[in-house]
């Protein structure tokens, strides 16, 4: 889950068509950003999305930059994948909550049929603007089942991936003390730490969890301080909820020793020697389903829950860690994924 940082610069990118919407570009203090590379091929074992080119026009509002290897890039890559299949797509990036209503209105005035506000902090803006555009569908990243007649909410079921990360943590931790660093101790985040602990206990019953909230989604310094404090108690494997918490945990692991898992993207390049697992969020099936529901008129009051069974959540082991993690643990991850996908295993959701 992601709260926007109002200090970021605003940029605007239009994908797949020539229309330019007059959004003010604020460049003070911000250099040009290079777009990330996008892989539009389905990962083996995941269901490929159906082309939805005739099912509306998609706009995505990001709180951060599309090359963060995490929250914002997950949404950006999903939009790019749909654009490659013929969907008209527009993206606004580095949008603050204060500016979100204006951006949402400009997208609505320009005829976008499905507008996704990809931050928990866009809640007020979405519900404020949606009431003025009853024929436009909006979605926001709430994860709390708050919807409206033309507003959908979507879950962030990272706890299912965190359960599989627990298998890696149980294998790599020398102390048996696991750490969780949250931007804020909200249900989606809290459930990640508890699920990692539950997964680890399946092979190492005596493991323990130490959890802390950094108080910020983007600030790695605060998270680093929290992670080092945990390391001083013996923690040597971390999961993070938020970009800043993971970057801070990586810094702590580099200093104190230990391992970290990425937050909803491949962040292994940020810590090649310490990032032992990547928790991946493939949002393309989610965005595709929203477009399909817009086309069929079934979008109203939807709460979208798509996770491991839909190929939206998975856990990957970076190549550099495959030997250290071991074939037995990698096989256990795949077996667990199959059990979650089939419904044989229900991962506990512990919100507090």
């Amino acid at each position: 889950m992601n709260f926007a940082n109002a200090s970021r610069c605003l940029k605007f990118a239009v994908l797949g068509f020539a229309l330019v919407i007059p959004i003010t570009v604020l460049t003070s203090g911000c250099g040009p950003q290079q777009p990330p590379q996008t892989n539009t091929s389905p990962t083996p074992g995941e269901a490929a999305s159906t082309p939805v080119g005739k099912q509306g026009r998609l706009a995505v509002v990001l709180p951060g930059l599309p090359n963060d290897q995490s929250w914002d890039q997950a949404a950006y890559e999903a939009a790019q994948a749909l654009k490659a299949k013929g969907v008209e797509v527009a993206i606004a990036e580095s949008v603050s909550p204060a500016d979100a209503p204006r951006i949402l209105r400009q997208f609505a005035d320009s005829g976008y049929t499905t507008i996704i506000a990809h931050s928990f902090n866009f809640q007020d803006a979405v519900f404020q603007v949606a009431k003025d555009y009853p024929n436009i569908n909006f979605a926001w990243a709430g994860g709390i089942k708050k919807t409206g007649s033309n507003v959908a909410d979507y879950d962030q079921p990272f706890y299912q991936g965190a359960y599989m990360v627990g298998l890696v943590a149980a294998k790599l931790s020398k102390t048996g003390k696991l750490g969780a660093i949250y931007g804020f101790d909200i249900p989606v985040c809290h459930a990640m730490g508890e699920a990692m602990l539950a997964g680890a206990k399946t092979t190492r019953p005596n493991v323990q969890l130490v959890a802390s909230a950094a108080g910020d989604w983007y600030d790695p310094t605060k998270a680093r301080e929290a992670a080092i404090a945990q390391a001083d108690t013996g923690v040597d494997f971390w999961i993070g909820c938020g970009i800043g918490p993971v970057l801070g945990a990586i810094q702590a692991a580099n200093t104190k020793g230990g391992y970290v898992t990425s937050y909803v993207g491949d962040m292994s390049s940020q810590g090649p020697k310490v990032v032992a697992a990547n928790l991946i969020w493939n949002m393309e099936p989610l965005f595709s389903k929203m477009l399909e529901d817009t086309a069929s008129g079934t979008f109203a009051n939807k709460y979208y829950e798509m996770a491991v069974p839909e190929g939206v959540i998975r856990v990957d082991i970076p190549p550099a860690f495959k030997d250290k993690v071991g074939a037995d643990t990698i096989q256990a991850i795949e077996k667990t994924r199959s059990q979650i996908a089939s419904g044989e295993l229900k991962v506990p959701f512990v919100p507090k």
Side-chain angles (χ1 to χ4, degrees), residues 33-69:
Q33 299 293 326
Q34 296 299 319
Q37 297 298 313
T38 302
N39 179 7
T40 59
S41 301
T43 298
E46 294 179 350
S49 300
T50 302
V52 288
K54 296 183 179 180
Q55 297 184 351
R57 301 170 66 206
L58 175 68
V60 181
V61 182
L62 302 178
L65 296 172
N67 57 354
D68 65 358
Q69 300 179 329

Side-chain angles (χ1 to χ4, degrees), residues 267-307:
M267 300 175 71
S268 57
S269 65
Q270 299 294 327
K273 295 182 179 180
V274 299
V275 176
N278 290 315
L279 198 165
I280 305 296
W281 192 15
N282 170 26
M283 302 188 73
E284 183 190 348
L286 174 63
F287 288 2
S288 180
K289 179 61 175 169
M290 290 180 183
L291 288 170
E292 292 170 2
D293 289 346
T294 292
S296 64
T298 57
F299 187 95
N301 292 296
K302 275 288 183 72
Y303 181 61
Y304 290 91
E305 296 179 275
M306 302 179 75

Side-chain angles (χ1 to χ4, degrees), residues 20-32:
V20 177
I21 299 176
I23 295 179
T24 301
V25 179
L26 304 179
T27 58
S28 177
C30 298

